[in-house]
Amino acid sequence: MDPLEDVLTLLEARGHLSARLAAGGDWALRFDAPDGIKFNAVRRGSCVLEVEGGGQPIELAAGDCYLLTRPVPFVLRSGPGVVPADAGPVFARADAGIARVGDGDDLLMLGGGFTFAERARRLLLDGLPPVVHVPAGTRGAETVGWALAEIEAELTDRPMASGVVAGHLATVMLVHVLRVHLAHDPTAASGWLRGLTDPVVAVALAQMHTAPAHPWTVAELAERASVSRSTLAARFRTAVGTGPLDYLTRWRIELAARRLREGSAPLASVARAVGYGSESALSVAFTRVVGVSPSAYRRGAGPR
């Protein structure tokens, strides 16, 4: 099992698109804090991105795209010295799928976002920096550009089911952006995402995701990764921030939480499916990680 694919499946990632933005002259728009991950991609022209609390402004050129991974407001602008207008009314007036601001259409930008199953969002978002910027010239960015071009074609030509296709293409774009990000700057990620960039840790992660119910030991995982037990433990903790078996526990709990949300199987069956020998063993681990018992979580008392 590919851990990135596994987590994205658990997250139930859904891509959605907003109206495109056409802008010209001097302009600036202020956007409210997004839910989930927000993305924008410059298809023509250039602009500047300013994220609240996000450090220096980021200059965006044609072919660039970025992800915002935190719920913070941001501003897009042509340049300094313009008081930003509220983006909400501008996009509410969108015509034929295009919102317009300023004078002309020097800039054309695609935008949208991704929503996730609430309980599992932190699995992905906590491992990413607040802004993931992929410049057009970055190695591997051509795959992101391909997805963006396909999205633009769907939105422009409007063939049958274009909205559905464009939404799925946006999810494809998310995967490509994550690949480029991890390949370009592995140290910028944290948690299991960073672990994917370490060949030893990645083997251990893949083993645990392939068979989460298996009674793994550090020694067995180390043997699969062809290193000593101490080497695996040290590299895993450095990359992921926790030990291999602690990670395994949390991953099992995420899988159990999904089963509790989506089905009505007895707790003993859920426990066996994720690697616990009894309902009580699952209950102890689940309560420690989630803060409520599996029964209470299923009833809706716990966070989702």
Side-chain angles (χ1 to χ4, degrees):
M1 178 68 75
D2 176 351
L4 179 56
E5 179 180 342
D6 207 6
V7 171
L8 286 172
T9 300
L10 184 68
L11 286 168
E12 301 170 15
R14 298 287 186 272
H16 59 274
L17 299 169
S18 61
R20 287 170 286 177
L21 175 65
D26 295 326
W27 61 274
L29 289 176
R30 181 194 312 105
F31 294 79
D32 292 334
D35 294 325
I37 288 182
K38 169 70 176 176
F39 82 88
N40 281 119
V42 180
R43 303 301 293 159
R44 181 176 66 242
S46 62
C47 65
V48 177
L49 167 67
E50 298 171 353
V51 179
E52 186 175 292
Q56 294 297 313
I58 298 173
E59 295 186 3
L60 302 171
D64 287 11
C65 72
Y66 66 88
L67 304 177
L68 297 181
T69 66
R70 303 290 186 270
V72 294
F74 65 100
V75 171
L76 290 172
R77 62 169 69 246
S78 59
V82 182
V83 177
D86 186 357
V90 173
F91 278 80
R93 297 192 299 268
D95 181 37
I98 299 179
R100 297 185 179 276
V101 65
D103 182 18
D105 57 359
D106 300 330
L107 173 95
L108 181 64
M109 176 175 278
L110 294 176
F114 305 94
T115 56
F116 307 103
E118 186 64 28
R119 163 79 195 149
R121 285 175 57 178
R122 61 190 178 87
L123 284 174
L124 179 65
L125 300 189
D126 286 357
L128 295 170
V131 182
V132 177
H133 176 211
V134 179
T138 304
R139 183 178 179 183
E142 64 275 5
T143 55
V144 178
W146 169 85
L148 291 169
E150 292 297 312
I151 292 170
E152 188 171 17
E154 291 290 329
L155 297 178
T156 301
D157 300 336
R158 291 291 178 182
M160 289 187 298
S162 60
V164 174
V165 172
H168 284 298
L169 284 168
T171 305
V172 170
M173 186 210 71
L174 171 63
V175 174
H176 284 310
V177 168
L178 293 176
R179 287 175 177 173
V180 172
H181 170 66
L182 292 174
H184 178 67
D185 190 3
T187 61
S190 62
W192 66 272
L193 273 174
R194 185 172 179 182
L196 295 181
T197 68
D198 182 311
V200 168
V201 175
V203 170
L205 285 169
Q207 294 298 316
M208 289 186 280
H209 280 251
T210 298
H214 182 78
W216 293 106
T217 64
V218 176
E220 186 176 6
L221 289 168
E223 181 180 357
R224 299 291 180 93
S226 301
V227 295
S228 70
R229 185 171 60 181
S230 59
T231 296
L232 174 63
R235 288 176 66 159
F236 202 101
R237 185 170 293 279
T238 296
V240 180
T242 187
L245 299 188
D246 288 337
Y247 176 87
L248 177 61
T249 294
R250 291 185 174 275
W251 180 242
R252 286 172 169 172
I253 295 307
E254 297 298 344
L255 295 176
R258 179 174 64 179
R259 288 175 178 267
L260 293 171
R261 289 194 305 270
E262 297 178 351
S264 57
L267 292 182
S269 176
V270 173
R272 289 192 298 272
V274 299
Y276 289 94
S278 67
E279 180 180 330
S280 61
L282 171 64
S283 183
V284 170
F286 196 98
T287 303
R288 184 174 70 251
V289 173
V290 179
V292 296
S293 69
S295 297
Y297 183 85
R298 171 170 271 171
R299 292 194 300 268
R304 300 200 177 195

